[in-house]
Amino acid sequence: MERTHCTADAKHIRHFLDCCEGNWHQCVYVRCVSCKTPGYCRQPDFLYHPDPEGKPCILPMRDARLLFARLPEPTECAGALTMEQFTSLYRPYLEKEGLLEAPCLPEALLRLQEAACYDW
């Protein structure tokens, strides 16, 4: 069955689009080539762009497929990393947030960022 709606929260999607100025070419493509939870997430790859505080703001590729007219390709993005490279780059942040032990880092990071959108 084909998905017809985004799984990320609308406020988070707006935050992501603000960070990259609506242009996925300015984002970094992250490939999850060694998924620890196969079957848990249907498309573990994601785009990220640093937010104004330098934290990674992510958008799962499953949602990017629905939001953009063209599917983002790693070679057309500002850069491309593997999940291991991304984790190494943001290790201090991920440790501070307690995300390194998450079964699926992209999903855990997305949920953390969605919750921050509602920090009233």
Side-chain angles (χ1 to χ4, degrees), residues 21 36 41 45 47 53 69 77 82 91 94 100:
E21 298 174 344
K36 294 188 272 181
C41 49
D45 296 354
L47 298 173
E53 297 175 3
C77 290
T82 64
R91 183 167 300 283
L94 298 171
L100 285 178

Side-chain angles (χ1 to χ4, degrees), residues 51-120:
D51 72 5
E53 297 175 3
K55 296 185 262 181
C57 184
I58 73 164
L59 181 71
M61 285 304 297
R62 63 179 180 256
D63 291 342
R65 291 177 160 269
L66 298 172
L67 291 173
F68 301 117
R70 288 188 48 226
L71 182 64
E73 296 288 334
T75 57
E76 296 180 358
C77 290
L81 299 172
T82 64
M83 181 61 77
E84 290 75 18
Q85 291 168 323
F86 175 83
T87 303
S88 177
L89 181 65
Y90 282 100
R91 183 167 300 283
Y93 170 73
L94 298 171
E95 284 176 346
K96 178 180 161 262
E97 297 297 337
L99 298 176
L100 285 178
E101 300 304 319
C104 180
L105 179 61
E107 286 295 320
L109 187 54
L110 178 63
R111 299 302 161 226
L112 176 74
Q113 292 174 358
E114 288 176 333
C117 290
Y118 295 93
D119 185 17
W120 317 55

